[in-house]
Amino acid sequence: MLVQNAMEYAEVRSAATAGCVADEQAHLLAYAPLVKRIVYQLNSQVGGAIDREDMEQIGLMGLLEALRRYGTPDESFGGFASMRIRGAILDELRRQDWRPREVRQQSHKLRDSVRALTRRLGREPGEAEITQALGITAETYQAYQLDENAEQLASFDELVQEMEGRFADTPNPEDQLMLRRTLEQALMQLDEREQRVVQMYYEFELSYKEIAAVLDLTDARVCQLNKGALRKMKSFLKSA
């Protein structure tokens, strides 16, 4: 009798496991377009440093991790999954140290020059002031800004994960509500244009080029606005 019960238990457990796997596969298929959107968005920033198919595979692993951590998807799962997908891809980019050394060195040199100019002026200089003081073209400066952003790849997702770290591994609804309200307060620290950039990039997953077209700006200016917005939000969240 005991053996029979054990066999029945094993059959039930096997069926349940098979059901879980089938559910996971169904959810992976359902959210695969989200992975493709995020890969498209990031691929435009990193210049093909990782093959697009490889990025999608890494993103799918991030999606699978999100499913296993979150549980049954609901209306809030998309935002949660986006963070894990983008985070998995960015982690791999950082791990591979994908930017050529010459590009990094040039970026560091320009960054130091911009900081020196900022100290001399006592304020943040405009693009025209920077290009004139450093003797570079607007195109060179815009390329520097994109390289600088690609080096940092600071993201709103990382801010959210920092906040989530204050809670349990799986935040309960009250924790999630508190997190959402804190982030809303952080967004209120931004001006209207910065808020639009953050929303279009992180909520609607538009690329810098697409945001630039909407706002009639250069890709580099969008990059600068995004970086400035994240800096303000980080400062607010540290004091929250």
Side-chain angles (χ1 to χ4, degrees):
M1 187 69 174
L2 182 61
V3 173
Q4 183 180 351
N5 288 341
M7 290 177 64
E8 289 176 353
Y9 171 75
E11 289 174 0
V12 170
R13 185 174 180 181
S14 176
T17 301
C20 289
V21 171
D23 286 345
E24 274 188 354
Q25 290 176 340
H27 294 320
L28 282 171
L29 284 173
Y31 285 92
L34 177 61
V35 174
K36 287 186 176 293
R37 285 203 306 273
I38 292 173
V39 166
Y40 167 77
Q41 180 194 46
L42 291 177
N43 194 51
S44 67
Q45 290 177 245
V46 301
I50 295 182
D51 183 78
R52 189 161 183 161
E53 289 185 4
D54 290 342
M55 288 179 74
E56 289 182 359
Q57 288 301 314
I58 296 165
L60 284 171
M61 293 302 295
L63 173 58
L64 182 59
E65 181 201 353
L67 283 166
R68 290 177 175 174
R69 185 173 174 188
Y70 192 91
T72 304
D74 57 19
E75 65 278 359
S76 300
F77 176 71
F80 180 86
S82 293
M83 290 190 293
R84 295 305 181 274
I85 294 165
R86 193 181 285 110
I89 296 170
L90 295 182
D91 284 346
E92 181 62 20
L93 284 166
R94 294 186 184 105
R95 189 185 68 78
Q96 292 194 15
D97 194 22
W98 54 274
R99 296 175 73 227
R101 177 178 293 181
E102 315 84 72
V103 174
R104 290 200 304 271
Q105 289 176 338
Q106 179 67 9
S107 181
H108 293 164
K109 183 178 178 181
L110 281 170
R111 183 196 309 163
D112 291 342
S113 299
V114 171
R115 285 175 176 170
L117 178 61
T118 301
R119 286 194 298 269
R120 191 163 71 245
L121 294 175
R123 58 175 173 77
E124 188 171 335
E127 182 174 321
E129 291 175 309
I130 291 171
T131 55
Q132 182 177 358
L134 303 186
I136 58 176
T137 64
E139 291 76 17
T140 298
Y141 179 62
Q142 289 176 12
Y144 150 71
Q145 285 189 299
L146 292 172
D147 286 338
E148 178 80 352
N149 185 74
E151 180 183 54
Q152 295 182 14
L153 285 172
S155 73
F156 184 70
D157 306 334
E158 291 171 336
L159 291 179
V160 174
Q161 289 179 34
E162 272 184 39
M163 293 296 296
E164 283 185 336
R166 303 181 186 184
F167 305 118
D169 286 344
T170 307
N172 59 43
E174 291 76 18
D175 290 339
Q176 291 176 346
L177 178 61
M178 187 181 301
L179 173 64
R180 190 176 304 114
R181 286 179 175 172
T182 303
L183 290 172
E184 287 172 355
Q185 291 172 353
L187 280 167
M188 293 302 293
Q189 310 306 306
L190 310 180
D191 63 37
E192 182 179 354
R193 189 158 57 170
E194 289 170 334
Q195 288 182 17
R196 290 186 69 191
V197 168
V198 168
Q199 181 184 36
M200 285 189 281
Y201 188 79
Y202 297 106
E203 183 177 349
F204 299 125
E205 276 118 21
L206 298 185
S207 67
Y208 282 162
K209 189 173 293 294
E210 289 168 329
I211 297 171
V214 172
L215 299 182
D216 194 23
L217 300 169
T218 64
D219 296 9
R221 180 56 181 151
V222 172
C223 159
Q224 188 180 41
L225 287 167
N226 181 44
K227 193 161 60 175
L230 292 169
R231 188 165 56 242
K232 288 182 185 179
M233 293 178 70
K234 277 187 176 179
S235 177
F236 175 81
L237 291 174
K238 283 180 180 177
S239 61

